[in-house]
């Protein structure tokens, strides 16, 4: 018996209330739709370098998962319990905490090292389908770290046209090898990296975005070179939602991005996101927002255990909204993610 009726993406678009375009929140399914052999958790795990973290790799096997955030969260929880239950005391717990932190670096490198080398590796017809999908929405929010969204919006010679603005501009001191982000440049921003991205770096004095236009060097090459020099992208990869919030609050860029999510209203589509507990802060942001209509994409059999969990978490959001005792009701519906070729 089907857990929930799924409509097509086009049918869901036809139900959007009012005359304003909806907003879009993208999860890992957006990237997997392009290159599942690169962006699935199984693939990232298989390609990751665990030479310096043999215990952490064994933790994946013990937990029966390839999800980096699950292992990071579990290691930190276990570390908190070690002084109570083990005669190893704080030493073992400290090692677990250190491994959990180092796993973030392993994840970043796994994505960077196995990322498509060049935007031309993706055919124009794939860009065209993705641009057509994005053109349905007013603002785009993503929790993905890769370059696919950026490559898509920069492919301006491919129809349909898109108006995109990520808030980055030429630095005040003049042209550099990068562009920088400042809060005062965000009036027209409509593309938001909620958890950072491979090509965005925090230099401590400014947030920088690496570009090809200012250097003539491919982005992925610049990113790998930065990693080799010990520089790491602005990245939110903590295993727990509360820890992600802590990381977000300590970055003006990430905090402003999250507050932009909280401030939107109208209709929102969620595509390729599992609504997992480690992104609870994102769901709370939607609950706090003025969004009144939510369409959640379901990929595959809606009766599968994983999809039932997604559906249950989505259906719980209206009750969370009502408990806030303010704002409008939140209507939740579901659509078949496979009915749109992103």
């Amino acid at each position: 018996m089907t857990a929930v009726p799924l409509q097509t993406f086009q049918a869901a678009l036809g139900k959007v209330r009012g005359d304003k375009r909806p907003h879009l929140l993208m999860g890992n399914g957006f990237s997997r739709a392009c290159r599942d052999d690169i962006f699935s958790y199984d693939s990232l795990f298989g390609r990751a370098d665990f030479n310096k973290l043999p215990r952490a790799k064994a933790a994946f096997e013990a937990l029966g998962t390839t999800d980096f955030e699950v292992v990071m969260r579990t290691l930190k929880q276990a570390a908190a319990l070690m002084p109570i239950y083990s005669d190893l005391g704080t030493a073992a717990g400290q090692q677990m905490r250190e491994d959990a932190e180092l796993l973030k670096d392993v994840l970043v490198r796994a994505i960077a090292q196995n990322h498509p080398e060049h935007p031309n590796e993706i055919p124009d017809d794939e860009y065209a389908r993705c641009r057509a999908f994005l053109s349905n929405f007013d603002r785009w929010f993503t929790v993905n770290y890769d370059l696919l969204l950026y490559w898509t919006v920069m492919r301006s010679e491919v129809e349909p046209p898109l108006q995109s603005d990520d808030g980055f501009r030429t630095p005040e001191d003049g042209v550099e090898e990068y562009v920088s982000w400042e809060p005062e440049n965000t009036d027209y921003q409509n593309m938001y990296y909620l958890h950072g991205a491979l090509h965005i770096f925090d230099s401590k004095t400014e947030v920088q975005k690496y570009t090809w236009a200012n250097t003539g060097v491919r982005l992925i090459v610049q990113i790998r070179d930065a990693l080799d020099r010990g520089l790491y992208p602005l990245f939110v990869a903590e295993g727990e939602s509360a820890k992600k919030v802590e990381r977000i609050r300590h970055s003006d860029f990430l905090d402003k991005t999250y507050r932009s999510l909280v401030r939107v209203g109208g209709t929102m589509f969620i595509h390729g996101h599992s609504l997992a507990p480690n992104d609870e802060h994102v769901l709370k942001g939607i609950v706090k927002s003025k969004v009144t209509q939510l369409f959640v994409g379901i990929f595959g059999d809606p009766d599968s255990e994983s999809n039932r969990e997604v559906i249950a978490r989505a259906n719980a959001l209206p009750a969370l909204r009502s408990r806030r005792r303010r704002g409008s009701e939140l209507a939740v519906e579901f659509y078949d993610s496979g009915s749109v070729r992103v």
Side-chain angles (χ1 to χ4, degrees):
M1 182 178 178
T2 302
V4 65
L6 295 185
Q7 59 197 309
T8 65
F9 174 68
Q10 287 298 325
L13 279 178
K15 291 183 177 181
V16 172
R17 302 167 186 163
D19 56 0
K20 294 184 178 180
R21 287 186 300 169
H23 309 294
L24 174 66
L25 169 64
M26 289 166 277
N28 192 44
F30 173 85
S31 301
R32 293 184 64 175
C34 177
R35 295 291 183 271
D36 191 54
D37 60 331
I38 293 176
F39 295 111
S40 71
Y41 283 125
D42 287 350
S43 178
L44 289 173
F45 175 78
R47 297 165 185 260
D49 182 1
F50 292 103
N51 285 335
K52 296 180 180 180
L53 291 171
R55 291 187 181 89
K57 183 177 183 181
F60 281 86
E61 297 166 358
L63 294 171
T65 184
T66 55
D67 189 326
F68 279 76
E69 293 187 359
V70 167
V71 174
M72 285 187 276
R73 180 175 69 248
T74 305
L75 282 175
K76 289 188 176 183
Q77 290 172 339
L81 294 174
M82 283 300 295
I84 301 173
Y85 290 98
S86 172
D87 56 5
L88 291 174
T90 58
Q94 180 62 27
Q95 186 63 58
M96 289 180 182
R97 279 187 286 268
E98 290 176 3
D99 283 0
E101 288 299 314
L102 290 172
L103 277 176
K104 289 190 290 185
D105 298 341
V106 172
L107 175 59
V108 173
R109 288 184 178 276
I111 296 173
Q113 295 300 331
N114 297 287
H115 197 284
E117 289 284 338
H118 195 280
N120 288 337
E121 289 185 24
I122 300 172
D124 280 352
D125 63 325
E126 292 188 22
Y127 281 122
R129 286 195 294 271
C130 191
R131 289 173 67 91
F133 173 68
L134 294 174
S135 69
N136 293 295
F137 305 101
D138 183 41
R139 296 191 181 194
W140 313 314
F141 297 89
T142 180
V143 296
N144 298 330
Y145 311 120
D146 58 67
L147 303 176
L148 298 183
L149 176 62
Y150 179 66
W151 280 356
T152 299
V153 299
M154 294 300 292
R155 204 71 166 186
S156 57
E157 69 274 18
V158 177
E159 295 290 337
L162 290 176
Q163 295 294 325
S164 65
D165 186 345
D166 59 10
F168 285 88
R169 304 285 189 273
T170 299
E172 290 183 358
D173 294 337
V175 176
E176 297 282 355
E177 293 185 346
Y178 57 85
V179 288
S180 62
W181 179 91
E182 297 291 347
E184 59 265 26
N185 294 330
T186 60
D187 289 349
Y188 301 101
Q189 186 173 346
N190 70 336
M191 185 163 68
Y192 303 89
Y193 294 95
L194 289 167
H195 289 165
L198 281 176
H199 59 313
I200 298 175
F201 287 73
D202 189 345
S203 72
K204 304 305 180 185
T205 58
E206 62 183 350
V207 177
Q208 304 172 351
K209 184 182 76 174
Y210 288 6
T211 70
W212 174 86
N214 291 6
T215 62
V217 178
R218 294 199 306 271
L219 274 181
I220 200 65
V221 173
Q222 293 184 59
I223 293 163
R224 290 170 183 165
D225 178 64
L227 288 171
D228 289 341
R229 290 184 287 118
L231 303 176
Y232 283 83
L234 186 58
F235 231 60
V236 180
E238 281 72 11
E240 298 173 278
S241 179
K243 291 296 183 181
K244 288 183 177 180
V245 171
E246 184 178 324
R247 177 79 173 92
I248 289 168
R249 294 300 188 217
H250 282 80
S251 165
D252 192 27
F253 172 81
L254 295 172
D255 189 52
K256 179 70 163 58
T257 297
Y258 180 75
R259 284 187 280 116
S260 296
L261 173 69
V262 174
R263 287 174 178 166
V264 299
T267 303
M268 176 169 283
F269 279 69
I270 298 180
H271 191 88
H273 196 289
S274 66
L275 280 62
N278 52 18
D279 278 344
E280 182 183 2
H281 59 290
V282 177
L283 303 183
K284 285 183 176 179
I286 295 173
V287 170
K288 293 177 182 178
S289 74
K290 296 180 181 179
V291 169
T292 58
Q293 193 178 25
L294 186 65
F295 290 97
V296 180
I298 300 296
F299 184 76
D301 181 7
D303 275 330
S304 70
E305 182 179 354
S306 59
N307 278 334
R308 282 183 177 273
E309 291 176 359
V310 175
I311 292 167
R313 284 192 285 266
N315 281 331
L317 297 180
L320 292 177
R321 167 71 63 81
S322 65
R323 285 203 290 272
R324 291 182 61 82
R325 296 182 179 178
R326 64 183 180 86
S328 305
E329 292 184 358
L330 179 62
V332 175
E333 294 188 46
F334 302 89
Y335 70 95
D336 179 6
S337 296
S339 64
V340 53
R341 294 182 68 188
V342 176

